[in-house]
Amino acid sequence: MAMDRSVLRSIPLFAAMNDAQLNLMTAQSSARRVPQGESVFEQGDPAKAFYLLLHGRLKVTQVTRDGQQIIVRIVHPGDLFGFTKALGRSDYPGTATAAVDSLAASWPTESWDSFVESNPQLAMSAIRTIGQRLDEAHTRIREMSTEEVERRVAHAVLRLVEQAGKPVEAGMRVDFPISRRDIAEMTGTTLHTVSRILSAWEV
């Protein structure tokens, strides 16, 4: 699916680009609908493209050497993802799966260098994204090293509400499906433990 320049113009990352820059971006881009449950790419796949989420939500998971699956991040609309060239990698370090029906724009990986050279905003966005991921990783490592499971679960839920919460009559609602297993994978604990904690909170 071809990209429309107006779509990119509406995204803060591209809002300050001139017409020539936007034309270059759209000329090499394509848009892909990703049904809920389908992956954009799999862990270990060659990194042939980098992406921008236009609509929906994605869960990025990794499988550790001992076979445990963990959720390393949630991708939100307007987020860049899969830009492994900036990380010095030739493969995807995780699997990106649509949590809801989603729409993503993509560009060939080999275009990354020329894009960031001609679009400083893109380079700065990538740096900010990498910094945010590093900060989130440090926070989660600290939580898993020093905090009880209940506090880790509480922090995970609060982060979800902050990132994707929508006001409803009863409070706040995360605007994409999130399961107890997902929370367990975010907090390095078991499904049984998360279920016990959430059930206790509901009483």
Side-chain angles (χ1 to χ4, degrees):
M1 187 191 310
M3 283 288 296
D4 188 298
R5 191 174 69 183
S6 64
V7 174
L8 291 185
R9 177 74 77 189
S10 67
I11 296 170
L13 173 62
F14 301 99
M17 289 185 181
N18 59 41
D19 288 346
Q21 291 172 322
L22 282 175
N23 287 339
L24 177 64
M25 295 295 291
T26 55
Q28 298 189 45
S29 70
S30 61
R32 172 185 168 189
R33 297 193 182 280
V34 191
Q36 182 178 7
E38 184 175 306
S39 62
V40 180
F41 51 74
E42 300 279 348
Q43 182 175 342
D45 283 351
K48 297 180 179 180
F50 64 95
Y51 301 85
L52 173 76
L53 187 63
L54 300 173
H55 175 75
R57 306 277 178 179
L58 304 177
K59 293 183 287 190
V60 180
T61 59
Q62 287 182 346
V63 177
T64 64
R65 291 182 179 180
D66 61 3
Q68 181 182 3
Q69 179 170 288
I70 58 174
I71 294 177
V72 294
R73 69 177 292 220
I74 302 295
V75 181
H76 305 283
D79 285 353
L80 287 170
F81 65 103
F83 53 101
T84 59
K85 192 78 177 288
L87 304 175
R89 295 187 63 124
S90 60
D91 65 330
Y92 295 115
T95 298
T97 304
V100 293
D101 291 345
S102 300
L103 179 66
S106 68
W107 292 266
T109 292
E110 57 266 25
S111 300
W112 177 262
D113 288 343
S114 62
F115 282 171
V116 296
E117 287 171 6
S118 59
N119 301 302
Q121 278 191 305
L122 187 61
M124 289 305 299
S125 179
I127 291 171
R128 283 194 298 270
T129 299
I130 293 170
Q132 289 168 357
R133 291 187 198 174
L134 187 60
D135 186 56
E136 289 173 5
H138 285 168
T139 298
R140 291 174 66 178
I141 290 170
R142 183 177 65 252
E143 289 174 359
M144 285 190 280
S145 300
T146 63
E147 295 186 350
E148 298 294 332
V149 175
E150 187 167 6
R151 287 182 62 85
R152 300 205 308 263
V153 171
H155 285 150
V157 171
L158 288 173
R159 277 193 290 269
L160 286 168
V161 169
E162 181 180 348
Q163 295 169 345
K166 303 295 182 185
V168 295
E169 187 175 342
M172 297 289 286
R173 179 183 179 87
V174 175
D175 69 357
F176 66 96
I178 192 81
S179 69
R180 295 184 176 195
R181 183 176 298 280
D182 290 335
I183 295 173
E185 292 176 0
M186 291 177 183
T187 55
T189 188
T190 65
L191 173 60
H192 172 76
T193 299
V194 170
S195 296
R196 176 177 55 79
I197 291 170
L198 294 182
S199 295
W201 288 352
E202 291 171 358
V203 174

